Amino acid sequence: MKNYLKKHPNATVVNLGCGLDQTGLACDNGTCHIVNIDFPDIIKIRNLWMPVHEREENIAADIRNDSWMDQIDGSRGIILFASGVFHYFKTEEVKALVLRLSQHYPNGCLIFDTIGKAGLRLMMSKILKNMGIQDVKGYFCVSDPLKELNWSDTINVSSKGYMLGYYDLKSPGIHPSHRLLARLGDRMMKMSIIKMEF
């Protein structure tokens, strides 16, 4: 995201399914516009606990409904990201959303995380259960991003490992077991960060 903002300093940064996440502000370059989108009940809580900063706004909407797109100007560049969101969508929903975004925001960029089928199954059966979250299903999973996400000739798809793709875990302060777990997560669970350029 920071690399995109270096090229497009006045771009709009859009947090899809934001919850209480503040990644947009963490990447704020001082000139970009930040938009957080989530369901109305989530945005209501966000508005109560997290004051909106300068150049930031919250939009109450289901990201699968296109109405929010008309409220966001991408003419000076736009980078959208979804963190831990698409797992709960069906594959056809993710594909349809991606294709609509690519048409609505030419020259934009979308970043999101994926996990393989085994990792998704583990996440749903263990992690969410341990957190006390019930009645939530996981659908969207990807084992081979470049092959499975090749949805349009106009979209350039790239991917990196979720843990090792963006973090240097070779420093002496990091225990070897952490590096091993990161490697297992990326390779066995097929954890990835996907970048789609429109």
Side-chain angles (χ1 to χ4, degrees):
M1 290 167 57
K2 289 181 177 179
N3 287 337
Y4 185 88
L5 289 175
K6 287 178 183 177
K7 298 178 181 177
H8 308 276
N10 298 314
T12 301
V13 177
V14 183
N15 190 344
L16 301 171
C18 61
L20 300 180
D21 177 69
Q22 290 189 299
T23 301
L25 285 176
C27 295
D28 185 7
N29 65 351
T31 57
C32 67
H33 181 66
I34 301 165
V35 179
N36 306 299
I37 304 175
D38 213 320
F39 291 117
D41 55 338
I42 303 298
I43 293 298
K44 184 177 180 180
I45 294 171
R46 188 179 180 97
N47 287 335
L48 283 173
W49 293 99
M50 307 172 85
V52 176
H53 292 256
E54 184 183 5
R55 294 175 289 99
E56 181 185 25
E57 69 175 305
N58 297 329
I59 296 177
D62 182 337
I63 62 173
R64 292 168 291 190
N65 184 320
D66 293 0
S67 61
W68 61 267
M69 295 184 196
D70 294 329
Q71 301 178 56
I72 299 176
D73 178 16
S75 62
R76 295 184 292 180
I78 187 167
I79 182 162
L80 309 103
F81 68 98
S83 178
V85 174
F86 290 166
H87 309 308
Y88 309 104
F89 290 11
K90 295 178 181 178
T91 300
E92 56 266 29
E93 291 177 316
V94 177
K95 180 179 180 179
L97 175 59
V98 166
L99 293 177
R100 292 195 305 272
L101 288 173
S102 69
Q103 294 166 0
H104 201 91
Y105 299 114
N107 301 315
C109 182
L110 170 66
I111 299 171
F112 59 93
D113 55 321
T114 62
I115 194 168
K117 187 175 289 186
L120 183 66
R121 191 162 47 242
L122 176 65
M123 182 176 74
M124 293 299 166
S125 66
K126 301 293 183 183
I127 299 174
L128 293 183
K129 183 178 180 181
N130 291 340
M131 294 171 64
I133 299 174
Q134 300 176 353
D135 301 322
V136 175
K137 294 182 178 179
Y139 300 101
F140 180 62
C141 55
V142 178
S143 295
D144 186 346
L146 299 184
K147 181 179 179 181
E148 296 175 42
L149 302 179
N150 185 21
W151 293 331
S152 171
D153 292 338
T154 63
I155 301 175
N156 180 41
V157 181
S158 60
S159 72
K160 288 189 176 184
Y162 185 89
M163 297 297 293
L164 297 177
Y166 290 90
Y167 296 103
D168 180 10
L169 299 182
K170 297 178 181 179
S171 65
I174 297 178
H175 196 275
S177 63
H178 292 156
R179 289 194 290 271
L180 176 62
L181 288 173
R183 190 173 293 109
L184 289 175
D186 283 356
R187 293 183 182 174
M188 294 183 65
M189 300 300 177
K190 305 292 186 184
M191 296 170 63
S192 299
I193 300 292
I194 309 300
K195 180 169 72 172
M196 291 185 163
E197 296 172 294
F198 307 141

